[in-house]
Amino acid sequence: MDEHSPEVVTAIQAAVKASELCQKIRKDLVGEEPILKSDRSPVTIADFASQAILCKWIRERFPHDTIVAEEDSKELKRPDHSKILGQVTDYVNAFIPTASSKEVCSWIDFSSNVITDRFWTLDPIDGTKGFLRADQYAIAIALIENGVVTLGLLACPNLYVNIHQPLGEKGCFFIALKGKGSIQMDLKGLGKRNLSVSKIKNPSEATMTESVEPDHADHLFHQRLAKKLNMSKPSFRMDSQAKYGIVARGEVTLYLRVPSPSEPGYKENIWDHAAGSIIAEEAGGKVTDILGHPLDFSCGIKMVKNHGILVSNGILHDVVLKALKM
Ligand code: AMP
Ligand code: MG
């Protein structure tokens, strides 16, 4: 696969549309009430509309590929959610004018839970809580072949092109292909900048990124670890897989995700890490769980063989793994 391969072109085209859609919904729906799914996680109109567009675009071009995505249309089809389904359909209609509500639900349900030799995994909005706060979120698209992530794309509409220039331009894509490196592009999929992780060797100069939500990671444990490594700079709290992107860009050295004490046995979802992990790795970084095991995307939708996540610039990986054991 190279940048002209149909898979890459398809992923970029799908991400351009989904980013436009999410930005539009974000602008229109200030104070939007999310639906709470059975696991209490919020789903918004944007999650459903984004998934409908991504699934339709990919399925039309790769009819034989399995798609494993976060949402399904069960909640959306409930009679008391008919107004939301109408809104989802209206937003999808801006891109596909003839789409009916029934079709929109059927596109969302192109997603299955079955892992096959070759499949796409999608998070239509990763970091829904960040999206609702007008903070960071990402549209995540990954292709997995025989258990290996071969293509990853993260669209981050609200992320500064350089986090150290908070008055600068916002919105970018991160794209990585196995063995071909990581690049950043704009939200139209244009302009190309090669990415590489930071060269920091001394843990005391390292910086860390972590989730905003205290239920998603053990902030206190992270703080203790940072102290152990003599890291003095405050952590960057950020929602979504944008965290992988800022490690890939070399803006932070580490991304740590130790399960929160509120859910110590939490198993990560494949769509929350597939795209991000290849982007950090292809920029020269290293990605394992907090025990040093490689991420395993082949077991099902849950990464049952992994515990937590550690992303680093590679150089500091073993030092951090050792500190995590103490
Ligand atoms: P982040 O924005 O990095 O905090 O991660 C957002 C993702 O965290 C969501 O897409 C959820 O799938 C996932 N998530 C939900 N509950 C938990 C949990 N208890 N621990 C870790 N991740 C979680
Ligand atoms: Mg997610």
Side-chain angles (χ1 to χ4, degrees):
M1 217 178 344
D2 64 28
E3 61 185 293
H4 306 294
S5 300
E7 287 87 347
V8 182
V9 174
T10 297
I12 291 175
Q13 288 170 338
V16 169
K17 289 178 206 305
S19 315
E20 262 179 49
L21 173 107
C22 292
Q23 283 174 291
K24 179 159 173 41
I25 298 179
R26 185 51 258 164
K27 234 184 184 161
D28 291 354
L29 298 179
V30 179
E32 178 201 350
E33 281 292 319
I35 301 179
L36 285 179
K37 285 194 285 194
S38 50
D39 65 356
R40 310 294 298 159
S41 61
V43 195
T44 67
I45 291 164
D47 293 76
F48 290 120
S50 172
Q51 180 158 322
I53 285 184
L54 294 173
C55 282
K56 180 179 192 295
W57 199 258
I58 291 170
R59 176 54 58 87
E60 268 178 2
R61 280 141 195 91
F62 296 99
H64 304 297
D65 287 352
T66 307
I67 300 176
V68 179
E70 178 159 23
E71 314 301 342
D72 64 54
S73 73
K74 207 167 75 224
E75 297 284 335
L76 203 52
K77 282 181 186 151
R78 276 175 32 183
D80 54 327
H81 288 154
S82 62
K83 186 176 156 221
I84 295 177
L85 177 56
Q87 286 171 295
V88 171
T89 308
D90 287 346
Y91 278 107
V92 173
N93 283 161
F95 295 85
I96 307 159
T98 55
S100 66
S101 291
K102 204 171 157 204
E103 281 173 315
V104 167
C105 288
S106 74
W107 298 336
I108 292 170
D109 293 334
F110 281 157
S111 167
S112 85
N113 286 340
V114 184
I115 304 298
T116 52
D117 286 351
R118 177 179 146 115
F119 69 99
W120 297 78
T121 188
L122 314 175
D123 196 341
I125 294 195
D126 178 35
T128 305
K129 289 175 181 168
F131 179 80
L132 293 168
R133 274 191 259 102
D135 242 322
Q136 291 310 319
Y137 65 96
I139 296 139
I141 303 175
L143 178 64
I144 300 183
E145 297 178 273
N146 303 311
V148 178
V149 186
T150 51
L151 159 67
L153 189 159
L154 287 176
C156 302
N158 213 21
L159 182 68
Y160 290 105
V161 168
N162 178 333
I163 55 166
H164 302 301
Q165 290 171 3
L167 296 175
E169 200 188 320
K170 260 186 181 179
C172 62
F173 285 178
F174 297 101
I175 307 175
L177 294 180
K178 187 78 187 161
K180 303 274 167 64
S182 288
I183 57 166
Q184 178 169 313
M185 288 176 140
D186 67 18
L187 291 177
K188 296 265 176 239
L190 301 172
K192 203 165 89 179
R193 199 186 111 201
N194 293 325
L195 301 178
S196 60
V197 295
S198 98
K199 304 281 184 290
I200 285 176
K201 290 190 191 73
N202 189 339
S204 67
E205 291 166 28
T207 47
M208 185 197 293
T209 182
E210 61 187 356
S211 287
V212 174
E213 295 292 330
D215 283 346
H216 293 179
D218 191 340
H219 289 155
L220 266 178
F221 187 97
H222 292 180
Q223 243 173 43
R224 285 203 299 274
L225 184 98
K227 209 167 157 200
K228 212 182 280 173
L229 292 167
N230 291 319
M231 289 166 61
S232 55
K233 296 182 190 135
S235 72
F236 279 93
R237 289 201 177 151
M238 188 175 275
D239 300 284
S240 85
Q241 287 170 74
K243 292 186 278 300
Y244 282 100
I246 62 173
V247 174
R249 280 202 309 221
E251 292 169 341
V252 298
T253 335
L254 308 170
Y255 163 22
L256 185 58
R257 192 179 186 92
V258 173
S260 158
S262 67
E263 217 174 324
Y266 182 80
K267 293 293 170 195
E268 303 286 342
N269 299 313
I270 52 172
W271 52 75
D272 283 330
H273 298 285
S277 61
I278 186 175
I279 287 160
E281 281 171 351
E282 287 295 330
K286 184 154 183 181
V287 184
T288 64
D289 68 6
I290 58 172
L291 303 170
H293 301 139
L295 301 191
D296 190 329
F297 296 105
S298 65
C299 301
I301 61 170
K302 288 281 177 188
M303 297 163 67
V304 291
K305 293 200 180 143
N306 295 116
H307 184 68
I309 301 283
L310 170 64
V311 185
S312 77
N313 66 347
I315 305 167
L316 288 174
H317 209 83
D318 289 342
V319 176
V320 180
L321 279 178
K322 203 168 151 202
L324 277 164
K325 283 194 188 121
M326 294 195 295

